[in-house]
Each structure stands twice: as structure tokens, then as C-alpha cells.
Amino acid sequence: MSTLFTRRGFLETLALSAGAAVLPHQRLSAAMDASTSPGESQSADYTLRIQVAPVEIAPGRIISMTTYNGQFPGPLIRLREGQPVTVDIFNDTDVPEQLHWHGQAVPVDVDGASEEGTPFIPAHGKRRITFTPRPAGFRFYHTHNRAGANLAAGQYSGEVGPVYIESKNEPGNYDREVFLVLKEFEPTFSRGGDMPQDFLPPVEVQSLHEEGESAMKASLATGAPKGYEVGYRSFTINGRMLGHGEPIRVKPGERVLFHVLNGSATEIRSLALPGHTFRVIALDGNPVPNPARVPVLWIGTAERVSAIVEMNHPGVWIMGDLDDDDRRHGMGIVVEYAGQKGKAEWVKPASYHWNYLHFVEPGAASAPPDETFDMLFVKHNAAEEGFNRWTINGAAYPMTGEIAPTSFHLKQGKRYRIRMRNASDDIHPIHLHRHSFEITKIFGKTTAGIFKDVVMLGGYQEAEVDVVADNPGLTLFHCHQQLHMDFGFMALFDYV
Ligand SMILES: [Cu+2]
């Protein structure tokens, strides 16, 4: 088996996960530090410690970051759908923290978003939470603190870890699983960025394009610069730069199920393995109706893709990002066939448009909504102390910690369509807390059957997602790009 994670704890969980699809719960608990506070008679199933630690991403290249349990990524947490779990979260840092269970339909009290009212884990304090994991599939956990101008905070830190919730009936048509967490480090600010744009189908809406372009021209004409963007000096998969971690060791004929998480604060990532294709079986942990083969994965911030690769092209390969610069700075991992030696090879794949519609059944139609919410997303260049300010229907979410008004009102049991229009040239990975949504229109086409919790909305594009209001309580909606969510791109839903 491959030793992708060199740190104690994660190595043990991976050793367990590599061979078997279903794990004995007690062994995992034992693998983690299950300490107990005075007054709590039962020990927790899992213990997470938020702590600053040095993390070696390449020999001699050691970065200080806030972590879970002193490692990056945080330990793989395996849960069982419907089986309650208790987690102790210790915060050894000087700032109150929020730990968000991304993609799970949990109550507000444990979701991990102060905007919804989840209590903070106090600095040098602790919270014990109990919840029932659902739905099954690949989820993750991460901090939900605002970073603002602090590039050591929020998801710029090392506070990201994978979660896998076992279902009662696992598909199981694979030989082993490998979890990959993609993440950049050493962030810096710049003016303007180079976000990839051309990997989505080019289905711009003319009126949105005109609106966005004229706003940009007007603001540049007043002498206002473009807002800050973030770039990175180092790039990692499972916390190691390309060439500096253990390779993924495979045998010809093996079917490897990759669970890939984009743990970036701000970036969209791509991933290709020369000579191989990915059969995508789940998006954001949810099985897709049509598990199609694709040559490249494109993964927005906080998105997950689960894909099976049949190892049928022996050699030593770089599984890496298509961006040459990012790959050379670490965004890749070596895949080494048994008995093969030599320098890992990279071959650039043919250009390809990533399209969620590849994974639907043709002609699929969704249920009609009870109500539709319209949302328009607008960028205001450098309007917030040099940062772009973002608005949803003209309102920026308050940045000062005051209680925000709820913008959208749900009634339990009803089905809502969120019609999103992006009047900016940026791609937005749009996220809804505590619910999954169904993509019902994207790239100009109506569809059904893809359930996600993050969807990439292309520059000057429109998309529609449906959500069934089945988990009462305040619910945060936001762009998952840290710079966008921190500077206005959030809204609150409530249940009335
Ligand atoms: Cu955004």
C-alpha cells in the first residue's frame, strides 16, 4: 500500500482505508487521540486539536500553519451514515474558531458557521459536539473563520481535512481508495490574477457581459485599480510538493478510486494522469446518474470529485495540474507502477471543456419549484480597502461581525429554485450550508440528477439550482472563494 501521508495518525487511517471499503469504527477511534476532560465520563469518538504546527511540504521546506492535530491535511475522519458521533474539538490557538462540517445536513449548533449562530470554540477552550452524519459520501471539514487581509487565517491556513461517510450499501466496484487533498501554501497578495476561464463551456450571457464590462471600465476610468487577488508560492497534494512525497504505487489492472478534494482557499484546480481516464462516479460525494469517463478533472474551491482510474498504462507518471507553473511549484503527485523505474513523466492532455452535464442522463427533468429566488452577483472593484467588494442583489454581507439580516425565507418542505446570474468575469464556487442542491440549469441547458453542495458558476454565466427546505435553521449561502466570501459574497436563508 502507498504511504501517502507520513504523519502518525493519518498513516494509520490511510492504512485502514486503502484495503477495505468499510472500516471498524473502534480501530479508527483508537488511532486518534481520544482524550477526555474531567466531568465527561465518555470519551469522544474523535478528537481534533486546532493547533499551530510546523509542516514539512518538501525536505527542508517547513511552513508554520494552523492545523488539525499538528498535521496537514487533517486526519481522515470516517463516519457511518445515521450513526451518531461525538467529536471533541480543542482550540489551542489564541483566536476563537469555527469548524465547519462541509456538505453535511447537520443542525445549526454543530454546522460551524458563526453567521448561523454556531457557538465559537473559545481560544484555549473546547467544544464537544454530537451529530448524526448524513448524507453518505465524500465530505470535508475546515475552518469557517473570516480571513480578510490575514493570509494566515481562514482557509489560507492548514485547517482542512477529509471526511468519508460510509453508506449502508457501498458501490465497491474498485480495488482500493486513495484520498487526495489539493492545497496551496505561502499566499501573497497581488493586483489582478490569472484564474483559468476557458475550461468551462463558453456560454456567456451577453447582457451580463455588457453589465460587467461597463462597470469595470467605469471603475478603471476613475483611476481605481483592480482589487487584490491571492497567489501562492507552493502547491501540494496531501501536504507534499510534487516529487517530495511517497508515490501512489499501483499494479497493472488495479481500479483505484480517487477521492479528490480541492482544499484551496481561492483557486480552481485541474488534475490529469497521462494515458489514463477518470470515470467520475460522484460529485461532492453524491453519486452521479451517468458515471462518464473524462480525461481531466476540474475542481472548484471546496468541490470534491470521486473517480475510478483503471491502471492500464504502466510507467511512472505525474498526476498533476494542467497549469505548468503550478505543477512545477508542486501541484502533482507521482503514480508509479510496480516494477517501473525512472523519472516521472508528464504529458499535456488535449484541451477539454469540463461540464457537469457529462454526468447526467440525457433528457432528465427536475421537479418544478414552489418558488424561485433571483440572485445577481456583482463585483465592485477595489471598493473595500483595496479588496473587491461583492454584492448579492445589491447587498454586501456585513464584514464587521454584526448580525446580518436574512435575505431569503424558506418554508419547510418546499422546493426552491435559486436562479443565479453572474455579472462578473470571475468563476464563483457557490456553496449552500446544511443542504445539498440539484443543478437544474447550467451552460444554457435544463437538467436534473446532479446533487452538489458547491457549483462553479462561470464568468458572465447563469445557473439554476433547486433546494428542498428540509433542515430548518439559519442557513448560510456564499461563494467559497475566500476573498469573495470575506468581502460581501454571502447571504443568510432562514425558515419561517
Ligand atoms: Cu466568488
Side-chain angles (χ1 to χ4, degrees):
M1 76 134 261
S2 87
T3 48
L4 296 176
F5 307 93
T6 53
R7 288 178 186 273
R8 190 177 61 83
F10 209 14
L11 182 63
E12 292 194 57
T13 53
L14 193 81
L16 288 164
S17 69
V22 179
L23 297 173
H25 189 245
Q26 289 78 4
R27 285 190 62 189
L28 254 187
S29 307
M32 326 229 353
D33 171 31
S35 49
T36 309
S37 302
E40 279 174 350
S41 55
Q42 296 285 310
S43 65
D45 297 299
Y46 295 96
T47 299
L48 292 171
R49 277 192 175 273
I50 303 166
Q51 55 189 198
V52 177
V55 174
E56 189 169 53
I57 62 169
R61 191 153 178 168
I62 301 159
I63 297 175
S64 168
M65 64 178 81
T66 308
T67 64
Y68 296 117
N69 296 4
Q71 62 183 62
F72 183 85
L76 170 63
I77 295 183
R78 282 205 178 242
L79 305 171
R80 273 181 196 280
E81 188 179 29
Q83 181 178 311
V85 63
T86 300
V87 183
D88 280 342
I89 310 165
F90 291 86
N91 179 3
D92 296 342
T93 74
D94 299 330
V95 288
E97 269 286 351
Q98 285 286 351
L99 188 151
H100 171 48
W101 298 95
H102 185 118
Q104 291 200 50
V106 290
V108 160
D109 180 62
V110 300
D111 187 49
S114 59
E115 297 83 355
E116 295 173 343
T118 317
F120 278 96
I121 307 145
H124 302 285
K126 176 201 169 185
R127 268 200 93 202
R128 167 171 283 197
I129 56 170
T130 299
F131 62 95
T132 303
R134 70 185 174 98
F138 188 25
R139 317 280 159 211
F140 77 118
Y141 59 104
H142 63 83
T143 180
H144 215 281
N145 277 16
R146 183 174 188 271
N150 180 359
L151 290 178
Q155 223 171 297
Y156 302 117
S157 73
E159 290 168 87
V160 174
V163 172
Y164 196 84
I165 304 175
E166 308 284 355
S167 96
K168 285 148 199 141
N169 42 354
E170 283 290 309
N173 192 21
Y174 55 87
D175 298 310
R176 49 187 284 230
E177 285 176 300
V178 173
F179 287 81
L180 301 178
V181 179
L182 282 44
K183 185 89 168 72
E184 310 81 7
F185 292 105
E186 300 181 279
T188 54
F189 285 120
S190 63
R191 291 275 187 200
D194 58 349
M195 187 188 277
Q197 289 288 351
D198 54 0
F199 67 94
L200 294 177
V203 196
E204 288 190 356
V205 175
Q206 195 55 34
S207 60
L208 290 172
H209 193 125
E210 282 159 15
E211 194 173 332
E213 290 278 292
S214 69
M216 172 71 83
K217 281 200 187 104
S219 106
L220 293 176
T222 66
K226 290 189 173 184
Y228 297 124
E229 302 289 350
V230 170
Y232 302 88
R233 292 208 180 91
S234 55
F235 296 75
T236 67
I237 293 183
N238 293 343
R240 298 292 279 188
M241 295 174 75
L242 173 59
H244 299 296
E246 289 291 318
I248 300 169
R249 297 194 173 89
V250 302
K251 297 187 198 83
E254 254 187 333
R255 285 158 305 173
V256 179
L257 172 55
F258 287 97
H259 292 296
V260 189
L261 160 64
N262 181 350
S264 180
T266 58
E267 300 244 309
I268 294 162
R269 299 256 61 101
S270 57
L271 200 66
L273 178 60
H276 298 77
T277 55
F278 298 92
R279 193 163 72 89
V280 173
I281 63 165
L283 294 174
D284 295 350
N286 305 316
V288 296
N290 174 33
R293 276 177 216 282
V294 296
V296 180
L297 305 178
W298 283 91
I299 312 166
T301 311
E303 282 189 307
R304 288 90 66 212
V305 176
S306 300
I308 294 174
V309 177
E310 194 179 329
M311 294 297 166
N312 54 12
H313 196 62
V316 182
W317 305 106
I318 292 172
M319 185 185 211
D321 198 288
L322 269 57
D323 187 291
D324 292 335
D325 212 41
D326 295 356
R327 199 179 57 256
R328 284 179 196 130
H329 287 87
M331 191 49 82
I333 189 166
V334 173
V335 173
E336 185 183 284
Y337 277 73
Q340 302 284 324
K341 287 278 172 279
K343 195 169 178 289
E345 270 186 84
W346 169 255
V347 182
K348 189 183 176 195
S351 73
Y352 160 77
H353 282 140
W354 175 253
N355 190 333
Y356 300 119
L357 299 173
H358 289 154
F359 313 111
V360 302
E361 298 285 5
S366 66
D370 296 304
E371 199 180 323
T372 298
F373 297 143
D374 276 295
M375 292 191 188
L376 179 68
F377 306 141
V378 175
K379 173 160 72 177
H380 305 263
N381 279 313
E384 195 72 36
E385 297 180 345
F387 291 90
N388 296 323
R389 181 196 291 134
W390 294 88
T391 57
I392 300 176
N393 295 348
Y397 195 90
M399 286 160 240
T400 48
E402 75 234 47
I403 303 295
T406 54
S407 313
F408 301 93
H409 309 291
L410 307 173
K411 285 198 190 76
Q412 191 162 359
K414 298 262 190 246
R415 182 183 178 95
Y416 293 87
R417 183 154 294 171
I418 307 172
R419 180 167 174 255
M420 303 179 287
R421 303 172 66 237
N422 178 9
S424 76
D425 56 350
D426 300 65
I427 297 171
H428 301 292
I430 301 291
H431 174 47
L432 183 67
H433 280 232
R434 308 193 312 106
H435 299 74
S436 296
F437 49 67
E438 183 178 13
I439 300 177
T440 49
K441 187 175 184 188
I442 198 157
F443 309 129
K445 295 197 170 63
T446 57
T447 187
I450 300 279
F451 293 86
K452 292 179 73 19
D453 50 62
V454 179
V455 62
M456 281 189 281
L457 175 60
Y460 303 131
Q461 295 197 12
E462 292 180 337
E464 294 177 5
V465 298
D466 283 17
V467 57
V468 174
D470 60 1
N471 192 14
L474 284 176
T475 299
L476 195 60
F477 170 99
H478 63 92
C479 177
H480 218 286
Q481 217 276 20
Q482 187 90 45
L483 279 172
H484 301 181
M485 67 182 283
D486 285 354
F487 292 92
F489 204 143
M490 296 205 292
L492 264 182
F493 293 20
D494 64 2
Y495 281 69
V496 290

